Amino acid sequence: MKWIIALAAAAVVPFFLPPGQLTVYILLGLSAMAVVGLSLLMGYAGQVSLGQASFTAIGAYTAGLLAVHGVPTLLGLLAAPLVAALAAGLVGVPILRLRGHQLAFATLALQLILLSVLGDADWAGGAVGLQGLPYLSAGGFELNQDRDYACLVLAGVVLTTLIASALVRSRVGRGLRALATAPVAAGASGVPVGAYRLLVFAVSAAFAGLAGGIYAFYVGYLAPGSFPVLLSVEYVVMAVVGGLGSIAGALLGATLITLAVQLLTTLATQPGMPSYAPSVLSYAVYALLLIAVVRYVPKGIVPALLLRKGILATLHRRSS
Amino acid sequence: MTALLTVTNLSRRFGGVHALRRVCLDVAPGETHAVIGPNGAGKSTLFRLIGGQLTASAGGIVYDGQRIDRLPPHRRARLGIAIAFQDAPVFRGMTVAENAMVGAHAVTRAGPLAAVLRLPRHRREEKEIRTAAAAALDRAGLAAWADRPAEDLPLGRQRALQMARALCGRPRLLLLDEPASGLRGPERTALAGLIEELRAEGLSILLVEHDVGFVSRLADRVTVLDLGRVLATGPFPEIRTDPVVISAYLGAPA
């Protein structure tokens, strides 16, 4: 029921937003898709990725390059998550042998390598990137309005949320949660630890890749600079603030951070503010939020709320 | 009768240290076989080699007619080998019931696609898993704790949860690593009772245990390890009068 209300609210919002604000809504939705995947990876399988925007970039470039070469845009959009997942599957074999900080740095390095390769690759447009990408079209209908993309993004968020929640509430999801805290016991219980780690890495990459694919058609141009390391950091902050291992938390985290950054950008671009104000403020808000959350609600906002509710329910039962 | 598990000339070195040297041992169907020995005898190494957490330097392990010593742990679990570890690692952040349900991984197959598409197979399996977990928790005396976070359980109950998780995979061979260590009177009695029940049902059990009293009550046969080698194998009454074993480990019979 709560989900239905949230969905209805999210579906109605684009029709009331002024056109300029729809961009925020779309970017928020794209982040939410990637963060749902990242929350799955970090919260359920206990793996840290500081390079998740690599997969957004791979998805975006897949869609962009296919479109540039005349492949129907819908096929490009479908290919985006698949290629991102495939890339994760390939690099995952070696790097998922790492744990904790080492894995985090390996994923970060991966993104830095990807960005410099893209920046030098002529076939990907180099530092200038790909420009003049077509709008997404399907069955003769071209999505050329912000509102179309708002609906597409909402559908993407719903799809990733449904997939993620079906996955975590299944046998596979229990295996993932088990291997996050006690991999040896999980393996002895029949959980194929390595394969599951790879699976969740690939799924999280697919979600980011789908977001990247939509981004490519929405914005119409791509450059390595569209996917900075800061974007990966943003994903992590969103996931942690909302609460790792909570899909609702991923959505809430993406919403809160996007709105906060938006507010600060508006503030920072007021007349009289120095030119570096927007980036300084957004870095500051990431840092402060991350510290505040880890310090005061280490499990993240949504799990903390659920815990409170659980405690209240228990007290209530005891008193009655 | 052919043995369910046969360990042949199993050796494991850690650097220059021989943790196990050419150990031979077998477990017959329905047998409870105990491995005893002083600290550092190689009991835990043997246990982890059979479970697949370690790989052997030399030698072989045959289970149900199949070489398993190169298989990863989850494949061994699928063949029917379940393990209850000594340090009782529970899956934190999951309920007691969910912990037991993880054990069903060994006997279920529904993959991610079946779960995402909510295929009938997934739903049928989920139901089976729930039933199996409830039954296993009941046997382990944990039914009342089912919805509590697993990390809230006291150590004795975490051991019991290990048993429940293992049973949820419907094993044919149960490996128990020092199940009684750190347990107090009533918990210990309950655990021994459960193991006796399982034995009566025909489950094969390989029990690594420090506590000679516990072993004498439960084991059909005992293998004594010392410094990585087998000192003796046989029924407990024979073992306890074996002069080699007495001088190395048991001390004078009481």
Side-chain angles (χ1 to χ4, degrees):
Chain A
M1 195 59 211
K2 275 175 300 185
W3 285 100
I4 295 171
I5 295 170
L7 179 62
V12 167
V13 162
F15 294 95
F16 290 97
L17 283 178
Q21 296 296 317
L22 270 176
T23 307
V24 178
Y25 180 90
I26 292 166
L27 294 180
L28 189 168
L30 293 176
S31 294
M33 288 159 68
V35 175
V36 166
L38 187 64
S39 186
L40 206 60
L41 183 71
M42 290 177 68
Y44 287 96
Q47 322 251 18
V48 184
S49 171
L50 274 181
Q52 202 64 8
S54 320
F55 301 113
T56 318
I58 291 173
Y61 270 87
T62 301
L65 284 168
L66 287 175
V68 165
H69 290 93
V71 176
T73 50
L74 189 61
L75 282 183
L77 183 65
L78 293 178
L82 294 181
V83 173
L86 196 69
L90 287 177
V91 298
V93 172
I95 73 169
L96 289 180
R97 291 169 177 268
L98 303 172
R99 291 281 156 273
H101 294 44
Q102 295 176 342
L103 178 64
F105 282 110
T107 52
L108 178 62
L110 194 73
Q111 184 173 357
L112 293 172
I113 293 168
L114 179 74
L115 291 182
S116 65
V117 167
L118 285 175
D120 269 341
D122 291 335
W123 50 268
V128 179
L130 303 173
Q131 297 185 334
L133 300 178
Y135 282 118
L136 181 69
S137 58
F141 179 74
E142 191 182 69
L143 281 74
N144 52 16
Q145 300 291 318
D146 277 9
R147 195 153 287 158
D148 302 337
Y149 284 90
C151 293
L152 181 65
V153 160
L154 182 62
V157 171
V158 170
L159 180 71
T160 51
T161 304
L162 286 178
I163 291 177
S165 62
L167 205 56
V168 300
R169 283 183 292 132
S170 72
R171 163 181 183 272
V172 176
R174 284 190 296 273
L176 285 173
R177 290 158 68 196
L179 72 85
T181 60
V184 172
S189 308
V191 177
V193 174
Y196 274 19
R197 282 193 171 129
L198 205 56
L199 170 81
V200 72
F201 193 49
V203 168
S204 76
F207 290 0
L210 181 61
I214 297 176
Y215 176 86
F217 292 119
Y218 171 59
V219 175
Y221 71 92
L222 298 171
S226 318
F227 310 97
V229 169
L230 185 62
L231 184 61
S232 294
V233 175
E234 189 179 307
Y235 290 161
V236 172
V237 175
M238 287 171 172
V240 171
V241 167
L244 291 175
S246 156
I247 292 163
L251 300 176
L252 182 73
T255 309
L256 286 181
I257 299 290
T258 308
L259 295 182
V261 168
Q262 200 55 36
L263 197 72
L264 287 169
T265 311
T266 315
L267 204 69
T269 46
Q270 295 297 314
M273 288 295 239
S275 61
Y276 50 78
S279 65
V280 168
L281 281 182
S282 50
Y283 273 111
V285 79
Y286 292 149
L288 287 176
L289 265 171
L290 198 57
I291 293 169
V293 165
V294 170
R295 174 73 181 79
Y296 296 106
V297 264
K299 283 178 190 299
I301 294 173
V302 168
L305 288 176
L306 289 178
L307 198 66
R308 233 182 122 96
K309 209 168 118 188
I311 292 167
L312 289 178
T314 314
L315 289 176
H316 186 72
R317 265 204 303 279
R318 276 192 197 146
S319 63
S320 60
Chain B
M1 204 178 335
T2 44
L4 180 64
L5 179 81
T6 312
V7 170
T8 317
N9 291 326
L10 201 64
S11 302
R12 169 74 201 202
R13 286 186 312 274
F14 293 102
V17 181
H18 290 263
L20 278 190
R21 281 184 220 236
R22 306 178 71 79
V23 166
C24 296
L25 170 146
D26 63 88
V27 181
E31 181 188 27
T32 297
H33 193 132
V35 177
I36 63 171
N39 280 329
K43 302 187 298 287
S44 287
T45 304
L46 174 65
F47 186 87
R48 286 155 69 195
L49 286 170
I50 298 172
Q53 287 75 39
L54 282 177
T55 48
S57 307
I61 306 169
V62 173
Y63 168 84
D64 196 21
Q66 183 186 349
R67 277 290 289 265
I68 61 163
D69 43 275
R70 295 286 159 201
L71 295 181
H74 71 270
R75 295 276 307 279
R76 302 188 197 198
R78 293 205 77 94
L79 292 173
I81 302 177
I83 308 179
F85 292 96
Q86 183 190 359
D87 55 353
V90 296
F91 306 125
R92 294 190 307 277
M94 300 173 74
T95 65
V96 167
E98 285 173 326
N99 262 261
M101 289 165 82
V102 171
H105 244 83
V107 286
T108 48
R109 309 207 149 263
L113 216 56
V116 168
L117 301 176
R118 293 275 174 240
L119 297 182
R121 180 166 95 158
H122 162 78
R123 275 186 291 203
R124 196 171 54 236
E125 265 193 11
E126 281 296 298
K127 204 183 279 179
E128 281 170 20
I129 293 171
R130 265 169 218 292
T131 317
L137 288 180
D138 209 29
R139 291 199 76 161
L142 291 171
W145 300 73
D147 297 322
R148 298 279 292 273
E151 60 266 35
D152 287 1
L153 294 181
L155 176 72
R157 302 272 183 191
Q158 292 193 359
R159 282 274 166 70
L161 179 54
Q162 292 268 294
M163 294 288 283
R165 177 175 55 69
L167 292 179
C168 218
R170 294 200 299 273
R172 291 166 64 201
L173 174 65
L174 182 59
L175 306 179
L176 299 175
D177 191 6
E178 309 227 2
S181 77
L183 295 194
R184 288 163 303 169
E187 289 174 332
R188 220 179 148 80
T189 317
L191 184 74
L194 176 59
I195 296 173
E196 271 180 341
E197 252 180 67
L198 295 172
R199 185 171 69 155
E201 288 165 22
L203 183 65
S204 307
I205 298 171
L206 183 69
L207 173 69
V208 171
E209 186 50 71
H210 211 76
D211 183 324
V212 176
F214 201 77
V215 167
S216 68
R217 176 174 164 193
L218 293 169
D220 299 306
R221 272 194 304 163
V222 177
T223 291
V224 185
L225 280 186
D226 188 34
L227 299 172
R229 288 167 302 120
V230 174
L231 281 190
T233 298
F236 188 73
E238 271 175 34
I239 291 291
R240 67 179 295 156
T241 53
D242 187 317
V244 182
V245 177
I246 291 169
S247 69
Y249 178 50
L250 288 179

